[in-house]
Every structure is written in structure tokens, then in C-alpha cells.
Amino acid sequence: MQILFILIPVSLLLGAGGLVAFLWSLKTRQYDDPKGDAERILSDEWDDRPKPPPMDQNKDP
Amino acid sequence: MADLSVDRHYDARLSACPACDAAPLAGRIAASAMTGDMILSLPGVHCAVCITDVERALLAEEGVRSARVNLTLRRVSIDAPGRRAEEFIPVLEAIGYEAHELDGAALTSNAADRQGRDILMRIGVAGFAMMNIMILSVAVWSGAEGATRDMFHWISAVIAVPTVIFAGQPFFVSAWRSLRVGRLGMDVPISLALILATAISLFETLQSGHHAYFDAAVMLCFFLLVGRYLDHRSRAIARSAAEELTALEVPRVVLLRDGAEQVVNVAELRPGDVIRIRPGARVAADGEVVNGMSEIDRSLLTGESLPVQAGPGAVLSAGEVNLTGPLDLRVTAAGRDSSLSRLADLVANAEASRGRYASLAERAARAYSPVVHLMALISLLGWLQATGDWRVSLNVAAAVLIITCPCALGLAVPAVVTAASGRLFRRGLLIKEGTALERLAEVDTVVFDKTGTLTMGQPEWVRGDALPDDLRPVALSIAAGSGHPLSRALVQALQADGVAPAAILKIKELPGYGVQAEWQGRNVRLGRADWIGADAPALAAGPVTVLAVEGRDPVPLHFTDALRPGAAECVATLRGQGRRVLMLSGDAKTAVAHAAAALGIDEFRAGMTPQQKEAEIAALTSGGAKVLMVGDGLNDTAALARAHVSISPASGLDAARVASDIVLMGQDLAPVADALTLSGSARRRIKQNFAISIAYNIVAVPFAVAGFATPLMAALAMSLSSITVTLNALRLR
């Protein structure tokens, strides 16, 4: 039974981690252009690191 | 300055015409020029290479801070302070991409998108909470007792209470709103179930009771939010596409000031200004021609398929298209004062009379909510009577509310509408209004406009004319020298026949009359019969132009307005389905009769004014008919707004697109008939979904009322009905 005191917080933390990741991806507008993002990985430019987003990328309209 | 109430009326309504729309736009255009944000539409981009090409070309331009292509929307947003969007169009055209300037102010989809993200965020939170609480609940269901169960309930409570408060907000807000105006919307039982379930669970946890409904409350939230998101999504796609069409018409005009040309926004025009209308451009304001000769295409305004001659003194209205020569126009009324605003009034009246359509979901909610509330109340009172125990009674009442919760009902309509509008979108139809699909299913009478709707609004050469073979190359060459629609149609037909152009000299266009040139030392003319001196009455009906070669007999060339592809098919399908088909046109009788005969329409009326069209629709409606109006012009807007449901082609005027519920994106008219069929099956699907959720309730409610419903059962019944309803909607694909 003692194991529950470890496992429950762990499961909650993992879930919260997933939630935070989801909210972050939503905030950074990663669902704005799914088609474009799928194509962009084929682009030769900036292959060693991702292209820096334009200035207005993170701001809310 | 007009008085304030009139102003407000126009703000609300006047997106119905491009010129009038311009006034509030001006400020927004100025604002976007300050930040340097511009949006270009790129219909041609489709792959990774295109993205790189476009972005690289734009970033190489001076002053461009950033350029980002959005492939989903086929747009590029450019951040370049001090530059103008139209400067980038040639840059992109040089590397082979068609680009159009979009009026950023008309695109509000960013704001709409924020709403979508907001719902998504709540779905994420509810989903996280749901999963965690269910893990804990499984332990309780499988028999956790005493302190362990209490601990699980407490952890659930800590997760669930903030989640319900946060994720349930859209329902609470809308329930409160409907309660305040004294209605019982769908969101009232939803909110009540959410609040009651959470409150009772909390109470039970405090009392270390056996059952808590936290999982049910959070899952309810999750499923309902999914329905809400589907609903939002299907509408957002349609709205953003329709907005893009609107944004394509950037309201700019060439103003002549002290002889110099100056590009200004339509909103800045004042009566007395002189503006220049180039050939091919749309007239931006009402006015009188002071200089120039040309021909005017009035088809969008009046439905006349033949161009009208215009010279000094002629009065033009905003929305007409200048065809052949440049015209200088003295503005008599611009923006809100123009003749368009009279039409806008007509549209506003018509729309007000259409009234509020109660969707199936609303009607279902109207019947459903009182029943649910009554049932919960009866079980509360019944159990109180039988046991005298408030706690047990409240628990049973909550179980009843949760089990009967209109979760499946909330999903039933959005899921079907999403599936149906997705399918129609692929066929080229955009649903702008949420209830359009349901209204479409009720249609029994279809009214078509002619010019631009059933026909292309563009002439096509009738090849039966006796044009001698040796004159064909000459005809091609001389017609190529003019931008007149008849000439263009002639060029197209001759080129399609494989005719090679002849060498001609001294080609010259006389706007409003025709083209003249020299061929092998002989004078050649192509144009109006009265200009060439041919026998005009003998040329009879239909658009006609005359080719005259010196020393030869003049050859009349006849044209017809080509039928839109799929038009005949569409009419035949509609009639085959037993629907009444009518044609109302502003065009001349012969042209209308000809088109009607070609399409097999028995009932048609010609020479109709916008008011007459609207009155006709109103008469049909009061006769009990559910009318679908299909039209593209300004003269149709009032009729479009009056009809039960309306469709306009994307090639139509902004005003028509605004007034209609559905926009037809492609050239082909056949999807209109498909839409009617599909809407019928969508309606059936929605009704099936209602039947499914009611059937679930009939099975589940007795258990809940009898007090047998455990949280597990409530959760199972609810998710089962939600999933069944969603799957049923997906069958539509």
C-alpha cells in the first residue's frame, strides 16, 4: 500500500507534464499551420537547428 | 454627419457592400500600415520548396523583417514597415507564384482562432483531469474501502474542482446568459449537472461517503467541450475562407487631384472628387462620367448580360465594371451615401423578416431541458418522501441529472455538421451559417438568378456565323487588340480552332465603339453595328458584334451567354427530386427565355428589379414554400437575405456572399444539388443521434431514479452514448 504514496504523485506529475507540454505547444501556435510544418522538415535550410521564428510568432493577436 | 442611430445601423449591416464597408476599414488599414504587417494570398503554394522559395525571395527584399508562409491557409504574412503589400506581388510573380493582396482588416480569423485555442486549452485541462481521476476511480470501483477510498476521493476532489471551474466556464457563461433572458437553453441542465455533481461529490467526500461523481463531472466537461470545439471548427474554416474572398477586394481607387493620379482608400472619397476608373476595374462610387468613352458591365447590379455604352454625362453606380476605355468619374455619392446603401436597407429589412431560425438542437433542448429538470426534481421529492433522507435524495437527483445530461445531445449536432460541411467543402461549398445545413434540408423550391449564376455572365461565340475562312485570322488579330468581353470570347474560340493570327497594322481601339485596323491595305473594323453602318435591326437578339472588311460584306458575329458547367445537370437533379425550380432575372426577356429553354426551366421571369425579386421570394415564402435562392449579384442580395436559405457563387459580388448562407467556391453548379441531398441525410443523421441519446436515457433513467446508479454506471452510459453519436456522425463521410 505504501507504494501508492509514490505512484500517485508520479502519475499526477507525468500527467501534469503532458498537460504543460500541450499548453505550451498551444501557446506557441504550433497548431496554426500543420500542413506547412509537415513540409518544412523537408526543407534544406537550417538543417542543423530550427529556423528562428519571426518576431510576431509568439505574440497574441 | 448622419445621426447616430443610422450610423450604428450601417456599422452592423453594411458589410453588405464593398464600398460602404470601406469606412471603418480605413482606420484599420492605417493601423496595419504602422506595424508593417501584411498578408498576401498565395493560391499556388503546395510544398516545402514553395515555402522556401517564397520566404527566401521576400527576405531578400529591402525592409522585410520577416516573412512566414502558412501552407494551411495558403498565405504569407510579411513584416516590413514602410513597404506596401502590392510591391511584393511582382517579386513573387517573378519567381512564378500568383499572389493577391489581402485586406488584413477584413480578416478577423486571428481573433476567431484565439477562441478555438481557448476551447482547445480547456479540452486539454479537462482531458488531463479526466484521465487522472479515472485512474483513481477505478481503484474505488474495484473495491477500495475506508481510508483508502477517502484518500482517493480527496485527491479526485483536488483535481476536479478547479478543473470544473475552469473548463466549465463556457457552459456556465452561456447558461447564465440564457437564464437572464428567461430561456432554458441546452447549457442550463449541463451547468446544473456539473455544479450539482461536483457539489454533491464534495459533500460525500467530506462525509466519507461511498460514491463520488467527480469522474462523471469532468468527463461530462470533456465530451461537451469536444462537441463545442467541433462546432467552432467547422464554422471557423468556412468563415475564414469567406473572409479571404472578401479580403481579396482591397478598396482602393485612383483619385485625380490637380491632374495627378493618386491612390487612396475608397473611404477617403468625397462627393465632387474625380476618380479614374481603368478598364477592367470596378466602379468604386456613384458618379457621373466627365471624360472618356467606354462600355459598362452592369450584370452584377441589374442582371443585364449585355454591356452598356457610357460616355460623358452617363451616370454610373458603384459595383459596375468598366470594360474598354478609361473613364473619369465625378463622385456624387461615396460609401454610405451611395445607391448601394438603398440596397443594403432592403437587405437589412429582408434579413430581419427571415427571423431567428430555431435549429434542431435548440428545439430539442427546449423540449428536453424541462423534462430533465422535472425528472430530477421528482426523484428528489420522491426519495425524500420515501426515506426522509436529504443526502440520499440529493444523490439520486444528481445521478439522474448526470445520466440524462445532454452530452450526446450536445455532440449530436456539431459532429454531424462537421462531417457534412467537411464533405461539402471538398466539393467546393462553404457553409457560413451553422443552421444552413438544417434549413437546406427543408427546401422545396429553388429560385435561380440567371446572369452569373446559371450562366457564366461571359459571352461565348456561336459558331454558326458565316465567317469566311480567310477572314478568321484577321478576326483573331483584330479581336486580340481589345479587352471587350465579346472580343475576348472571339479570340478564345478562334484560338481553340487553331487559327493563326494575321499580320495587321495600326490597330486602334475606340472605347465604346470597337476596334479598327489595317489589313493588306484595307480598313478593318470590329465593333458595334451602328458604328460600322450595318443594318442593326436585322441583327436581332443577343449580344452581337460586326466584322467589317473594306470591300467585303460585313459579317455579324453572334454570342450567347455560356451556361455554367453543371447548371443543366443541377436543374435536372432538382426537378427529379420533385422540387420546384424558378428563374428570376433582371435581364431582357429573350435572353432569359433562351437560357430557360436550354436548362429546362418552365417558370421564369425577366426584367426584374431587386425589389421585385425580393417580393417574389416573400410571396413564395408566405405561400408556405421553403425557398433556396441562388444568386450572385447586388440585385439578388435582398432576395438572398429573404429566402429560407441562400447560396452564392464565389465569383459574385461581396454583398451577395455576405447575404448568403453558403458560398460556392468552384465554377461548377452541380454541388448545389448534392448539397441538398447531403443536407437531407445530415438531417436524418442528426435525428438518429437524438433518437440514440433518448434511447439511452430511457434505459438509464429508471436505474438512476430507482437509486441503483453508481458513478461507474453513469460514466459508462454517458461515454457510450457520446461515442455512439460521434461514430454515427462519421458514417456520413
Side-chain angles (χ1 to χ4, degrees):
Chain A
M1 235 20 188
Q2 298 307 311
I3 193 75
L4 282 181
F5 290 101
I6 302 168
L7 284 185
I8 288 175
V10 165
S11 87
L12 288 182
L13 271 177
L14 283 176
L19 179 66
V20 167
F22 172 71
L23 292 182
W24 170 79
S25 66
L26 200 65
K27 267 256 148 58
T28 51
R29 307 269 199 109
Q30 302 205 13
Y31 302 100
D32 275 11
D33 184 15
K35 239 180 180 170
D37 293 337
E39 295 283 348
R40 267 172 210 278
I41 55 167
L42 301 174
S43 162
D44 287 340
E45 286 197 344
W46 307 87
D47 213 13
D48 48 344
R49 64 202 143 94
K51 195 169 179 173
M55 308 222 199
D56 59 344
Q57 192 62 23
N58 293 328
K59 89 178 178 212
D60 257 77
Chain B
M1 192 67 210
D3 80 72
L4 203 67
S5 65
V6 171
D7 256 32
R8 196 171 305 131
H9 162 72
Y10 279 136
D11 279 343
R13 235 345 297 156
L14 259 178
S15 46
C17 74
C20 331
D21 207 19
L25 276 185
R28 286 183 283 168
I29 287 173
S32 73
M34 297 282 282
T35 57
D37 288 336
M38 284 164 287
I39 303 167
L40 293 180
S41 163
L42 296 170
V45 294
H46 63 277
C47 65
V49 181
C50 310
I51 297 177
T52 324
D53 278 359
V54 168
E55 289 184 355
R56 196 183 291 152
L58 286 172
L59 286 171
E61 286 290 300
E62 196 189 331
V64 177
R65 281 206 301 230
S66 76
R68 175 105 181 163
V69 173
N70 185 326
L71 195 65
T72 315
L73 297 171
R74 307 212 158 173
R75 287 178 195 162
V76 58
S77 52
I78 309 168
D79 180 17
R83 300 282 308 256
R84 280 156 51 137
E86 62 251 44
E87 297 171 38
F88 297 113
I89 293 173
V91 175
L92 293 176
E93 268 166 8
I95 57 167
Y97 293 99
E98 184 189 349
H100 303 284
E101 185 181 353
L102 286 179
D103 180 355
L107 296 170
T108 53
S109 50
N110 278 345
D113 187 31
R114 187 160 54 181
Q115 203 192 337
R117 280 210 308 273
D118 183 67
I119 303 178
L120 260 185
M121 189 158 71
R122 291 179 207 274
I123 290 178
V125 172
F128 156 79
M130 180 178 80
M131 285 186 286
N132 279 295
I133 294 173
M134 286 191 80
I135 291 173
L136 299 170
S137 301
V138 167
V140 178
W141 297 338
S142 53
E145 283 296 331
T148 322
R149 184 189 59 212
D150 282 354
M151 182 188 72
F152 282 157
H153 277 170
W154 271 115
I155 300 174
S156 300
V158 169
I159 304 172
V161 172
T163 305
V164 169
I165 291 174
F166 174 71
Q169 258 173 34
F171 308 109
F172 300 148
V173 169
S174 116
W176 175 238
R177 209 177 291 145
S178 67
L179 273 182
R180 248 195 339 203
V181 295
R183 283 194 310 120
L184 267 186
M186 186 87 90
D187 287 330
V188 177
I190 290 174
S191 303
L192 200 63
L194 282 178
I195 293 170
L196 210 59
T198 317
I200 285 182
S201 306
L202 211 54
F203 176 75
E204 285 289 311
T205 307
L206 280 168
Q207 305 281 319
S208 72
H210 286 263
H211 295 314
Y213 294 105
F214 291 120
D215 49 346
V218 175
M219 191 158 60
L220 184 60
C221 238
F222 178 76
F223 277 120
L224 288 166
L225 281 168
V226 169
R228 204 53 54 112
Y229 185 69
L230 285 179
D231 198 33
H232 168 80
R233 198 85 204 118
S234 63
R235 258 184 268 176
I237 292 172
R239 203 181 316 113
S240 76
E243 265 175 12
E244 179 157 328
L245 285 174
T246 308
L248 275 172
E249 289 171 18
V250 177
R252 294 228 173 85
V253 64
V254 180
L255 181 68
L256 291 180
R257 195 166 277 163
D258 308 322
E261 290 189 4
Q262 196 182 346
V263 179
V264 298
N265 290 320
V266 171
E268 292 167 30
L269 282 185
R270 296 283 168 268
D273 284 348
V274 177
I275 56 174
R276 175 157 290 170
I277 317 285
R278 297 217 171 86
R282 187 160 279 160
V283 178
D286 291 2
E288 193 185 312
V289 176
V290 288
N291 207 353
M293 276 298 266
S294 181
E295 273 158 307
I296 295 293
D297 177 0
R298 294 213 150 127
S299 58
L300 281 176
L301 256 80
T302 62
E304 290 169 64
S305 54
L306 273 183
V308 184
Q309 203 173 4
V315 175
L316 304 186
S317 301
E320 298 173 343
V321 178
N322 183 13
L323 288 176
T324 45
L327 288 176
D328 292 347
L329 194 73
R330 172 166 298 119
V331 177
T332 52
R336 294 177 175 180
D337 304 321
S338 74
S339 60
L340 286 174
S341 62
R342 288 201 299 275
L343 267 170
D345 280 341
L346 207 60
V347 173
N349 283 337
E351 281 203 330
S353 82
R354 179 151 76 185
R356 224 177 132 274
Y357 177 82
S359 68
L360 277 172
E362 278 169 45
R363 272 179 279 169
R366 215 174 284 162
Y368 196 81
S369 308
V371 174
V372 170
H373 288 126
L374 209 66
M375 211 131 64
L377 189 67
I378 290 173
S379 30
L380 175 74
L381 294 178
W383 276 86
L384 204 59
Q385 182 77 33
T387 63
D389 186 347
W390 269 100
R391 192 168 142 198
V392 173
S393 315
L394 266 175
N395 253 316
V396 170
V400 169
L401 265 180
I402 292 170
I403 282 196
T404 58
C405 125
C407 191
L409 223 52
L411 271 171
V413 178
V416 173
V417 170
T418 309
S421 57
R423 203 170 126 179
L424 285 177
F425 186 70
R426 281 192 292 280
R427 301 243 30 205
L429 279 167
L430 269 175
I431 312 274
K432 270 177 56 201
E433 299 291 323
T435 57
L437 211 61
E438 288 171 31
R439 281 182 275 142
L440 203 56
E442 298 170 353
V443 164
D444 54 15
T445 307
V446 186
V447 176
F448 286 101
D449 165 52
K450 183 184 81 75
T451 317
T453 305
L454 283 172
T455 68
M456 296 295 289
Q458 283 160 5
E460 194 178 28
W461 181 39
V462 184
R463 303 200 181 186
D465 291 315
L467 182 63
D469 281 345
D470 63 320
L471 291 184
R472 282 169 186 259
V474 187
L476 174 58
S477 299
I478 194 163
S482 163
H484 194 280
L486 296 187
S487 300
R488 281 209 303 262
L490 190 60
V491 169
Q492 227 168 32
L494 287 170
Q495 274 175 346
D497 290 352
V499 176
I504 55 169
L505 299 167
K506 294 185 191 165
I507 189 156
K508 186 178 167 206
E509 182 165 21
L510 290 134
Y513 296 101
V515 206
Q516 64 177 19
E518 231 178 72
W519 172 62
Q520 296 178 352
R522 281 189 281 184
N523 194 4
V524 186
R525 286 168 159 200
L526 176 75
R528 301 175 73 89
D530 47 2
W531 175 56
I532 281 156
D535 188 9
L539 299 173
V544 70
T545 185
V546 182
L547 177 71
V549 178
E550 211 177 335
R552 305 274 291 260
D553 285 337
V555 187
L557 303 169
H558 293 266
F559 295 82
T560 58
D561 196 355
L563 294 179
R564 195 178 268 271
E569 205 183 302
C570 176
V571 170
T573 314
L574 291 175
R575 288 173 65 102
Q577 291 165 346
R579 294 188 168 95
R580 188 174 164 203
V581 180
L582 289 91
M583 180 158 85
L584 305 179
S585 177
D587 204 359
K589 179 124 197 180
T590 46
V592 177
H594 182 76
L599 290 165
I601 299 177
D602 311 324
E603 296 177 81
F604 58 89
R605 294 186 57 186
M608 297 192 85
T609 63
Q611 288 81 355
Q612 284 173 327
K613 281 196 183 190
E614 194 226 325
E616 183 80 30
I617 302 275
L620 283 169
T621 306
S622 59
K626 301 280 190 197
V627 182
L628 161 67
M629 170 82 199
V630 190
D632 75 320
L634 261 182
N635 57 337
D636 301 315
T637 44
L640 287 169
R642 175 75 69 178
H644 191 54
V645 56
S646 48
I647 302 181
S648 73
S651 58
L653 209 62
D654 195 18
R657 290 198 303 263
V658 170
S660 58
D661 304 305
I662 301 170
V663 177
L664 179 68
M665 306 293 288
Q667 293 280 325
D668 198 331
L669 207 59
V672 171
D674 297 347
L676 281 166
T677 320
L678 187 72
S679 68
S681 57
R683 194 182 155 87
R684 270 197 302 283
R685 208 61 87 216
I686 291 174
K687 285 186 167 167
Q688 278 173 11
N689 278 350
F690 286 158
I692 290 172
S693 52
I694 287 168
Y696 267 103
N697 286 332
I698 289 174
V699 175
V701 165
F703 282 94
V705 175
F708 294 133
T710 60
L712 173 67
M713 280 175 61
L716 274 182
M718 203 173 60
S719 19
L720 209 60
S721 66
S722 300
I723 291 166
T724 317
V725 160
T726 314
L727 288 179
N728 188 42
L730 287 177
R731 279 204 304 142
L732 196 69
R733 271 168 210 274

